[in-house]
Amino acid sequence: MPELPEVETIVRGLKKPLAGASFARTRVLKPDVLRVSPRRFREALKGRRVHRVSRRAKNILLELDDERRLVVNLGMTGRLLLSPDPGTPPHTTHPAVSFDLADGRTLVYDDVRRFGVLEVLDPGSWAARDRRLGPEPLLEDFTTQRLWKDLRRSRSPVRSWLLDQRRIAGVGNIYAIEALYRAGIRPSRRARSISKKEADRLHREIRTVLREAIEHRGTTLRNYRDVDGAPGGNAPRLLAYGREGEPCSRCGEVIKRVVFANRSAFYCRRCQS
DNA sequence: AACGCGCCCTGTCCGC
DNA sequence: TGCGGACAGGGCGCGT
């Protein structure tokens, strides 16, 4: 569910409130969101202080005072919810893991479908994971040149290419569809067929779409909430995603929906080639 | 090696 | 009103 802008909104919301906070007690209600035993997970966090909160791709990183990190991937429906104030737990629907902080606040990982994963990784394990992720699209090293060169090496449909986290980090189905719509490129186009000029446009639109979504605190279709439980405001701004049968905002042609790789793609057959 | 597919799980919505 | 099927923002493991 949550893509880069939603994860970034959560990270920004946790930065100040969690800086310096420490884990007193952890309760695991749904062990299937972990990859180790609940006991081992609890022990890894016990007494640890949060040094810094950051994001890499769609992962939330709580950097701990022992050099390890609590890595949270929200899957489709994961949420991180924080107490409004000490003594008041956040409002949850499907709590999976609950973290009591030393100051009386509670951080809860809530997840209806439980596709999310929580792990505590040492520096080496995290570095190995990090290396497998592609460039951050909002950072300097993601250049038009790099995008174009990387696209040329793949025969996948460009929409599938954009969803592959090893190639570009943090883009999911919504923003892939939106960027392709705005760049005038059909989702089914083979990555290697994208011209230099198209790659330039795609590069710009990926960044614009992500930046604007962050400004609007993410897209809420159903489940996404920020750390205060509030929905994002970006959904009404989507031009193609979820708009099957509606007129194209540019030319009035009907927006089409096609399915490949088990996921919906939306596009305008007149504006996108 | 690169790629596409099925699957993990629960909730919601739509058509009959 | 009830029921079955399709579908949902992600990512992994498998077979080709």
Side-chain angles (χ1 to χ4, degrees), chain A residues 14-259:
Chain A
L14 291 176
K15 270 182 188 286
K16 281 184 187 168
L18 280 196
S22 61
F23 293 99
R25 187 161 80 120
T26 300
R27 272 167 298 198
V28 178
L29 311 170
K30 305 283 182 182
D32 51 354
V33 301
L34 306 180
R35 288 190 171 150
V36 298
S37 69
R39 196 178 115 86
R40 215 177 137 194
F41 183 78
R42 286 198 311 265
E43 293 297 321
L45 288 172
K46 196 167 195 172
R48 295 273 67 80
R49 191 170 293 276
V50 178
H51 180 247
R52 200 170 85 99
V53 184
S54 62
R55 179 190 61 75
R56 173 76 168 109
K58 299 171 193 168
N59 301 293
I60 297 158
L61 309 176
L62 303 194
E63 299 167 34
L64 307 173
D65 57 2
D66 63 354
E67 299 290 301
R68 294 200 283 185
R69 322 167 148 61
L70 172 57
V71 180
V72 180
N73 186 293
L74 303 169
M76 291 281 260
T77 54
R79 301 169 173 176
L80 268 181
L81 302 165
L82 185 61
S83 287
D85 37 50
T88 313
H91 182 257
T92 61
T93 59
H94 297 75
V97 181
S98 172
F99 307 92
D100 290 340
L101 306 179
D103 61 12
R105 290 177 302 161
T106 310
L107 178 68
V108 177
Y109 179 69
D110 187 280
D111 192 347
V112 188
R113 293 172 73 182
R114 303 195 306 284
F115 288 174
V117 178
L118 280 69
E119 296 171 278
V120 178
L121 297 183
D122 60 46
S125 307
W126 169 251
R129 183 83 53 92
D130 185 29
R131 276 195 299 276
R132 277 181 253 127
L133 296 167
E136 283 291 329
L138 296 180
L139 296 184
E140 294 302 312
D141 60 339
F142 178 65
T143 59
T144 293
Q145 185 65 27
R146 178 169 185 180
L147 175 63
W148 184 58
K149 267 182 55 198
D150 291 350
L151 283 167
R152 270 171 35 194
R153 291 164 36 205
S154 168
R155 291 180 288 108
S156 293
V158 62
R159 196 282 310 263
S160 303
W161 192 96
L162 290 169
L163 294 191
D164 187 337
Q165 300 299 296
R166 291 169 305 187
R167 291 161 161 157
I168 176 169
V171 177
N173 204 27
I174 292 181
Y175 301 110
I177 293 301
E178 291 298 301
L180 290 167
Y181 173 79
R182 290 162 68 143
I185 301 168
R186 287 201 190 188
S188 57
R189 275 277 297 284
R190 301 288 132 174
R192 60 162 50 155
S193 78
I194 305 293
S195 70
K196 184 85 195 288
K197 198 174 165 186
E198 288 173 320
D200 183 52
R201 193 147 167 221
L202 181 57
H203 175 262
R204 194 162 3 132
E205 298 299 351
I206 288 168
R207 292 169 67 113
T208 303
V209 152
L210 295 174
R211 272 199 285 252
E212 290 181 1
I214 292 170
E215 281 174 37
H216 293 271
R217 307 183 56 79
T219 299
T220 297
L221 298 179
R222 307 182 162 72
N223 298 288
Y224 168 68
R225 294 293 184 281
D226 67 15
V227 298
D228 300 319
N234 195 62
R237 303 170 39 80
L238 300 179
L239 299 178
Y241 185 90
R243 297 204 181 276
E244 180 185 21
E246 295 180 34
C248 169
S249 66
R250 271 191 304 247
C251 76
E253 178 68 84
V254 171
I255 298 288
K256 293 286 178 199
R257 170 176 171 268
V258 292
V259 176

